[in-house]
Amino acid sequence: MTSLPAATWRSLSADHERRADSLTAGHRARRATGERHAIDDFLYDYYGTRPSTLRRWHPGIGVRLEAGPDGPAPHHRWRWYTTDADKAVRLDVAAFLSDRGDSVRYIHRLLTAIASRPAFTGCFGLHEWAMVYRQREHRHPLPLRLGQQGTDAVVESHQIRCTHFDAYRFFTPDAVDLNLHRPTRASQVDLDQPGCLHASMDCHKWATKLGPAVPGALALDCFELAGDIRLLDMRASPYDFSSYGESAVAIETPEGKAEYVAQQREFAQRAGRLRAQLIEICSALLAQAEPEARAEE
């Protein structure tokens, strides 16, 4: 167990708040005016991310926050924290696992499975194209770069190889049977792989679900990665994002495919490092649960 003096954890918390505010500044400004952003708002809408939650700094598992002259750290009022006799505050692992134990075990199983597989980089982001295939109405109020007919032709000239259920479930009815795989929620552990942009974006999802067990810096790293991936996801989509000042990654061309794969590999490496840290956190949580389980037998 590591103990942090009050001056240290206050500095870390303040740095975290500044970084979180910088990362969420655009969204917060738009929210005040009711403006929508087809790229950035995804992280808040789809993942249910709240700027206030991102701003809250956690030390992570195995760290005690020593009391200052004005008393214990504010975390003592937060869910899943406990205060020791010396007024130091730390994560109450037993309480956290009592509420989130099943989630921790699932996240550990899923992330470990993903990490065990090689990265597949031959999907070329065609999941976004399959979401508008043969449809007159689209999710975003933006034109299609190639028009509907040209977009449909790209889908029909490629093999769709999406393995991620949360992308596949948004395929249009006509696109569903064009996919090589039939991912379901139940098969996610068996199919998710490290080259998938959505599986990498989901590091943010799993960090959020692990909540106070995840150190603040890691939580923001996962959020920042998700934002960077979302940008590529949309630049490689069939939509025309020139009104946002974004150039297309034209995956219908050899050059666009090469650019997509190069970035995909970089993101897979970044996600791999973050995923490994999340796995370690899950392992540490579950390791503390095992002695308690044996004691109850």
Side-chain angles (χ1 to χ4, degrees):
M1 184 73 69
T2 300
S3 291
L4 296 181
T8 300
W9 62 254
R10 281 176 176 156
S11 177
L12 291 171
S13 180
D15 288 345
H16 175 90
E17 290 173 358
R18 283 190 289 269
R19 183 184 173 196
D21 287 345
S22 177
L23 290 171
T24 63
H27 173 75
R28 289 184 288 110
R30 288 189 303 273
R31 187 175 59 184
T33 62
E35 182 184 353
R36 301 290 300 167
H37 195 289
I39 300 174
D40 294 347
D41 286 341
F42 173 83
L43 300 182
Y44 303 92
D45 296 339
Y46 181 76
Y47 288 115
T49 302
R50 293 188 299 175
S52 60
T53 300
L54 283 174
R55 199 174 193 270
R56 179 170 283 193
W57 176 77
H58 296 283
I61 185 174
V63 179
R64 298 170 78 248
L65 304 180
E66 295 178 3
D70 53 350
H75 301 62
H76 79 279
R77 296 186 295 268
W78 300 356
R79 187 180 183 187
W80 297 312
Y81 278 91
T82 188
T83 304
D84 293 333
D86 61 356
K87 295 186 178 180
V89 180
R90 58 180 169 81
L91 177 66
D92 187 337
V93 174
F96 181 72
L97 287 174
S98 177
D99 291 339
R100 294 287 178 87
D102 289 344
S103 292
V104 173
R105 281 183 280 273
Y106 175 77
I107 294 168
H108 184 261
R109 187 160 60 96
L110 174 63
L111 298 187
T112 301
I114 294 172
S116 72
R117 300 183 179 118
F120 174 71
T121 57
C123 65
F124 306 124
L126 284 161
H127 57 277
E128 287 291 338
W129 298 68
M131 293 178 191
V132 299
Y133 180 60
R134 293 185 178 178
Q135 290 287 298
R136 294 182 178 179
E137 297 183 359
H138 308 130
R139 181 175 297 108
H140 302 299
L142 293 168
L144 300 179
R145 287 192 296 109
L146 306 179
Q148 188 65 60
Q149 186 174 356
T151 298
D152 293 346
V154 170
V155 173
E156 291 163 0
S157 64
H158 290 77
Q159 172 66 73
I160 312 298
R161 297 172 178 268
C162 181
T163 56
H164 193 67
F165 173 68
D166 284 318
Y168 177 69
R169 67 190 177 98
F170 291 107
F171 280 25
T172 67
D174 287 332
V176 166
D177 290 336
L178 300 179
N179 197 38
L180 181 65
H181 305 282
R182 296 292 181 272
T184 64
R185 181 67 69 205
S187 67
Q188 188 167 4
V189 173
D190 299 319
L191 288 180
D192 268 7
Q193 53 90 18
C196 172
L197 292 191
H198 280 259
S200 293
M201 272 197 290
D202 279 352
C203 284
H204 167 55
K205 174 182 179 178
W206 305 126
T208 301
K209 288 189 176 295
L210 291 171
V214 176
L218 176 56
L220 292 186
D221 285 347
C222 290
F223 177 75
E224 191 166 16
L225 173 65
D228 292 344
I229 292 175
R230 172 63 177 175
L231 177 58
L232 174 62
D233 204 29
M234 291 296 94
R235 289 181 61 215
S237 78
Y239 293 103
D240 181 353
F241 277 97
S242 60
S243 61
Y244 283 75
E246 299 295 345
S247 60
V249 176
I251 57 90
E252 69 274 14
T253 68
E255 296 78 12
K257 285 183 172 66
E259 181 181 356
Y260 183 89
V261 169
Q263 291 195 50
Q264 187 178 22
R265 287 173 176 164
E266 291 179 6
F267 287 137
Q269 292 175 357
R270 281 177 63 184
R273 292 190 290 269
L274 301 182
R275 190 178 292 114
Q277 295 178 67
L278 294 175
I279 291 172
E280 288 182 6
I281 290 168
C282 290
S283 297
L285 288 168
L286 296 174
Q288 292 197 33
E290 290 175 0
E292 296 179 7
R294 288 196 295 269
E296 293 175 358
E297 292 178 354

